[in-house]
Amino acid sequence: MEMGQGIKPLLPGSTIGILGGGQLGRMIILEGKKMGYRFVTLDPLDDCPGSQVADRHITAGYDDLEAARLLAESSDLITYEFENVDDAVVKVLEKDAFLPQGGELLRITRHRVREKRALEAAGVPVAPYRAVQSREELLSGSEALGFPCVLKTATGGYDGKGQWVFQSMAEAEAFTQLEPGREYVLEQWVPFDKEISVIAARSIMGEVAIFPPAWNIHRKQILHQSIVPAPVESGILRHAEDLARQVAEGLNVRGLIAVEMFLLHDGSLLVNELAPRPHNSGHYTLDACAVSQFEQQIRALSGLPLGSPKLLTLAVMVNILGEDVDRVRARMTDFPPQVKVHWYGKRESRPGRKMGHLTVLGESTEEALATVCRLELMEPTTRRGVETIR
Ligand code: AMP
């Protein structure tokens, strides 16, 4: 599809199909309904965050081609809320429906080696790495990259799953879990100062808008909180935004691209990972920006002008995981007015499962972080944020 040529914007009243009914789908729908669109979701679960707010729901597996065809028939435009979309389903959707994001970006972003090569081709810096498929490649790669280094499965890993850190050649040699036929990437360990992320939107007309960079702090490999704007020098913020734009244009993105980066001690940035969809670190946009990442995705894909990504107020977003639910519920009747709570409607709570999030707004980052601490939502790891930015 040529950018912007002969494309008629998809106007309110049209139906948008979403592959996946998790919280990202739910928040796309909640925002899109305000804009006048109708929604149909496809998810294996009957009662999921997306189906609860969609106009129609198809209960089926993500690899069910008949269900994909039904979604195609029912929708004027199709999008997805996760990148591991089955290849055969992508083909059906590209052929039978309007899938403006296309299949190519999915093919790239669900495979770490392809992703790194595409980033390099776009002139975007990444950590030194080697593609690995055998023990020989693991050992020669370790030798070349030095220690520590981290081995990741090329596909299917998330939130730190499918990753192993080697401190020495002895540890790499002792590693016996390489699966034959599976692809991996070995990366040099990057002693980063901060992890930041930037969400860029690029519309099917070719317009680009960049949301302010967030500083992300993880707990047990899961995003814990995002602080926005990331408390770094303005030159670094601008550089991060420029890199996100370079990724959006270089990879011919349509829709959203979340760009996760490492900020090194010397102020340089390396891109670690991409997600071609709304991102957890962009949830703050719902309460703190002129337009949310979810509304922006719909504008980008439907061919409407992009909205302003301007930050209206400083924000700290905190994820509510299964283990936090009872504490948050017990305290939320006393939350101050600058705290906005979002629940995803999941019936079953499990440790590590994302059940909701809250956004704390503030006049300053210190004030917002102090409010987070006062809420005593979880262990005092949040205090780390306050200490580090001083
Ligand atoms: P990923 O799944 O690639 O986002 O990795 C999960 C987490 O592991 C990241 O958020 C980082 O905290 C850490 N990590 C991943 N790759 C590296 C690396 N090359 N150097 C240092 N830390 C890393």
Side-chain angles (χ1 to χ4, degrees), residues 168-373:
S168 63
M169 189 50 100
E171 282 187 20
E173 278 171 353
F175 186 72
T176 54
Q177 293 176 52
L178 272 188
E179 286 174 42
R182 182 145 207 182
E183 292 176 75
Y184 299 82
V185 63
L186 185 70
E187 290 174 25
Q188 198 169 77
W189 188 257
V190 178
F192 58 80
D193 262 7
K194 287 190 172 66
E195 292 188 80
I196 63 178
S197 59
V198 186
I199 295 167
R202 184 161 178 262
S203 84
I204 56 174
M205 307 301 190
E207 190 190 357
V208 176
I210 314 287
F211 284 103
W215 171 28
N216 299 322
I217 297 173
H218 297 84
R219 265 195 329 177
K220 298 180 200 150
Q221 313 265 36
I222 301 174
L223 180 64
H224 166 47
Q225 71 183 23
S226 296
I227 296 168
V228 194
V232 299
E233 282 168 31
S234 59
I236 295 173
L237 289 180
R238 270 199 306 280
H239 184 204
E241 289 170 3
D242 289 345
L243 279 180
R245 177 181 295 273
Q246 209 174 322
V247 171
E249 288 175 345
L251 273 67
N252 193 21
V253 169
R254 279 151 271 155
L256 297 186
I257 188 87
V259 185
E260 293 185 42
M261 308 175 191
F262 295 136
L263 170 61
L264 309 194
H265 197 57
D266 64 2
S268 60
L269 292 163
L270 297 175
V271 170
N272 175 40
E273 223 184 0
L274 305 176
R277 52 168 171 77
H279 194 257
N280 194 168
S281 68
H283 291 357
Y284 77 89
T285 59
L286 279 167
D287 300 310
C289 289
V291 151
S292 71
Q293 61 169 343
F294 306 101
E295 175 173 346
Q296 198 75 302
Q297 178 174 13
I298 295 171
R299 286 173 176 247
L301 297 180
S302 62
L304 293 173
L306 294 180
S308 164
K310 189 174 159 48
L311 193 67
L312 301 178
T313 168
L314 301 170
V316 175
M317 189 283 313
V318 186
N319 267 336
I320 304 170
L321 303 183
E323 59 269 41
D324 309 318
V325 167
D326 289 345
R327 280 169 86 89
V328 176
R329 285 172 65 89
R331 282 167 167 72
M332 64 179 290
T333 48
D334 295 325
F335 279 177
Q338 66 273 30
V339 180
K340 302 275 297 270
V341 189
H342 302 251
W343 293 103
Y344 304 149
K346 295 180 185 176
R347 299 251 183 259
E348 199 192 323
S349 162
R350 283 192 302 275
R353 188 171 197 211
K354 291 173 183 169
M355 302 300 290
H357 71 268
L358 51 90
T359 316
V360 179
L361 308 174
E363 294 296 315
S364 69
T365 300
E366 285 84 352
E367 184 200 307
L369 283 168
T371 306
V372 172
C373 284

Side-chain angles (χ1 to χ4, degrees), residues 27-205:
M27 289 185 269
I28 295 171
I29 296 171
L30 290 174
E31 287 288 275
K33 287 213 145 198
K34 289 192 224 163
M35 301 164 74
Y37 292 95
R38 299 180 65 77
F39 287 89
V40 47
T41 41
L42 186 158
D43 193 282
L45 290 178
D46 197 22
D47 179 15
C48 56
S51 69
Q52 292 165 10
V53 294
D55 296 280
R56 185 176 163 207
H57 180 63
I58 301 167
T59 307
Y62 295 133
D63 55 355
D64 182 333
L65 294 183
E66 270 317 300
R69 280 191 195 99
L70 185 59
L71 185 72
E73 264 167 34
S74 320
S75 312
D76 300 301
L77 178 162
I78 294 194
T79 184
Y80 46 79
E81 58 142 32
F82 55 88
E83 49 269 54
N84 291 314
V85 185
D86 189 88
D87 260 336
V89 167
V90 173
K91 285 208 180 84
V92 165
L93 296 178
E94 278 193 298
K95 185 170 147 288
D96 294 354
F98 178 42
L99 182 73
Q101 287 154 290
E104 181 58 14
L105 189 62
L106 282 172
R107 216 181 62 79
I108 292 172
T109 54
R110 66 163 182 253
H111 191 287
R112 288 183 191 270
V113 179
R114 288 204 284 260
E115 186 173 275
K116 285 183 195 301
R117 288 185 181 139
L119 286 167
E120 286 178 314
V124 174
V126 298
Y129 71 95
R130 292 286 185 281
V132 164
Q133 288 199 62
S134 64
R135 184 176 153 78
E136 292 67 44
E137 284 173 349
L138 171 63
L139 299 183
S140 62
S142 304
E143 175 114 48
L145 296 173
F147 297 94
C149 55
V150 52
L151 182 73
K152 306 177 181 179
T153 52
T155 56
Y158 64 93
D159 288 342
K161 294 192 179 68
Q163 300 193 8
W164 301 268
V165 177
F166 304 126
Q167 299 292 346
S168 63
M169 189 50 100
E171 282 187 20
E173 278 171 353
F175 186 72
T176 54
Q177 293 176 52
L178 272 188
E179 286 174 42
R182 182 145 207 182
E183 292 176 75
Y184 299 82
V185 63
L186 185 70
E187 290 174 25
Q188 198 169 77
W189 188 257
V190 178
F192 58 80
D193 262 7
K194 287 190 172 66
E195 292 188 80
I196 63 178
S197 59
V198 186
I199 295 167
R202 184 161 178 262
S203 84
I204 56 174
M205 307 301 190

Side-chain angles (χ1 to χ4, degrees), residues 365-387:
T365 300
E366 285 84 352
E367 184 200 307
L369 283 168
T371 306
V372 172
C373 284
R374 259 200 322 278
L375 299 180
E376 293 186 345
L377 303 171
M378 32 214 106
E379 312 108 69
T381 51
T382 45
R383 268 172 241 273
R384 204 186 120 201
V386 182
E387 282 153 13

